[in-house]
Amino acid sequence: GQVRTIQIRVQRTGGDGGNLAMFGVVSDITDKLMAEQRLVAALEEARSAAVFRSQFLATLSHEIRTPMTGVVGMIELLS
């Protein structure tokens, strides 16, 4: 009742003297593909979090620097 993804590898063997044979391997790769999709989603989420963190730190740095400039200016005036 499920859709599965399979990989088929076929290799020709023989062929000398008129005898031709085929050798094949069928593998179910559904779980492997699903794991790869989860890894890609996790990577995208990590990249998004890194961008958010960078933006947050840039904003925080700006918000701290702006009032500190005023404080430093007032200290210079007082001294």
Side-chain angles (χ1 to χ4, degrees):
Q2 291 182 337
V3 175
R4 304 296 285 182
T5 303
I6 60 169
Q7 180 180 35
I8 302 172
R9 295 181 185 178
V10 179
Q11 181 176 358
R12 187 179 82 168
T13 60
D16 54 325
N19 295 328
L20 178 65
M22 302 286 274
F23 174 76
V25 177
V26 178
S27 303
D28 183 351
I29 60 169
T30 304
D31 295 335
K32 177 183 174 185
L33 290 178
M34 290 175 65
E36 286 177 2
Q37 289 173 350
R38 286 191 301 269
L39 285 173
V40 168
L43 178 63
E44 290 300 319
E45 186 177 334
R47 285 181 178 161
S48 176
V51 167
F52 176 77
R53 183 180 64 237
S54 294
Q55 290 174 347
F56 173 76
L57 290 175
T59 301
L60 183 65
S61 174
H62 174 73
E63 294 298 325
I64 290 173
R65 256 182 306 157
T66 303
M68 286 302 291
T69 303
V71 170
V72 170
M74 295 301 264
I75 290 173
E76 287 179 4
L77 284 175
L78 289 173
S79 56

